[in-house]
Amino acid sequence: MSSFSGWAVVDLKDGRDAEEFVKVLDEVVEGARAVLVEGRRVFVYADFEPLLYSEIATLMPEWGNRAVTAGDFDEYGVVNEVLGPDGTAVHTASIDEEGGALPHNDTPEARRAAARLFDVDAGALDEVSATWAAEGAMPSVLGEPYLRWWRALGVPWPDDFGQRAVERG
């Protein structure tokens, strides 16, 4: 089983309609994906689309307040980004099995900026930072290790995503 995929949770700006965002997302993202809307929060899983994070970043200035994205490149590594409202990465953490090809900005300052954006305790992010790379990229294991960052940010992936998400594309 391959974990080659893209993941995102986007918190939309006030006044932005989630269904309209999903329609725009359909125009931007190619391939199969599953989408779950919970109020102004949109969860996206895109199979075989690890660059989903760059597509989400381009939509942020118009649509989002904040987002967390993950690109899973299977045995080559994973990248997890926290995006601000302008679409730039506030915090980027990666596990790169190939020795430096993925972006990385996991500093105490970046973790504090991400914690402020999501109004959480930065200590939870510090704990993930200190421990998450120990097992490597964990190819073929969907959601690990990047979803540990998401839980620390207070945006856990829904356990019932597979039952409630709508298939798109």
Side-chain angles (χ1 to χ4, degrees):
M1 180 173 135
S2 174
S3 61
F4 198 65
S5 55
W7 303 63
V9 60
V10 179
D11 287 340
L12 299 176
K13 292 180 179 183
D14 287 338
R16 284 303 194 173
D17 180 72
E19 294 305 320
E20 289 298 318
F21 174 74
V22 172
K23 288 178 186 174
V24 171
L25 193 64
D26 286 345
E27 295 171 7
V28 174
V29 179
E30 295 182 20
R33 70 200 150 285
V35 177
L36 175 62
V37 175
E38 291 185 340
R40 289 188 9 244
R41 180 166 282 171
V42 180
F43 293 88
V44 182
Y45 168 75
D47 202 16
F48 299 104
E49 185 72 29
L51 297 178
L52 176 67
Y53 63 90
S54 65
E55 294 157 337
I56 295 295
T58 64
L59 297 175
M60 287 299 293
E62 185 175 348
W63 291 92
N65 280 330
R66 61 191 185 184
V68 185
T69 65
D72 190 327
F73 298 92
D74 214 358
E75 70 273 10
Y76 298 102
V78 297
V79 61
N80 186 82
E81 287 191 322
V82 175
L83 303 175
D86 62 355
T88 59
V90 172
H91 175 263
T92 305
S94 64
I95 297 173
D96 187 349
E97 302 292 330
E98 295 296 306
L102 296 177
H104 195 76
N105 180 25
D106 179 30
T107 64
E109 296 80 16
R111 290 191 297 274
R112 269 127 198 82
R116 280 191 302 276
L117 187 62
F118 280 87
D119 195 26
V120 296
D121 178 18
L125 297 173
D126 292 338
E127 183 177 324
V128 173
S129 177
T131 61
W132 83 299
E135 295 177 328
M138 299 175 68
S140 301
V141 182
L142 289 173
E144 293 295 336
Y146 38 91
L147 292 183
R148 292 181 60 206
W149 289 107
W150 296 35
R151 289 186 293 273
L153 288 164
V155 291
W157 193 258
D159 289 334
D160 60 352
F161 179 85
Q163 290 80 38
R164 295 191 299 138
V166 175
E167 297 293 324
R168 315 271 311 181

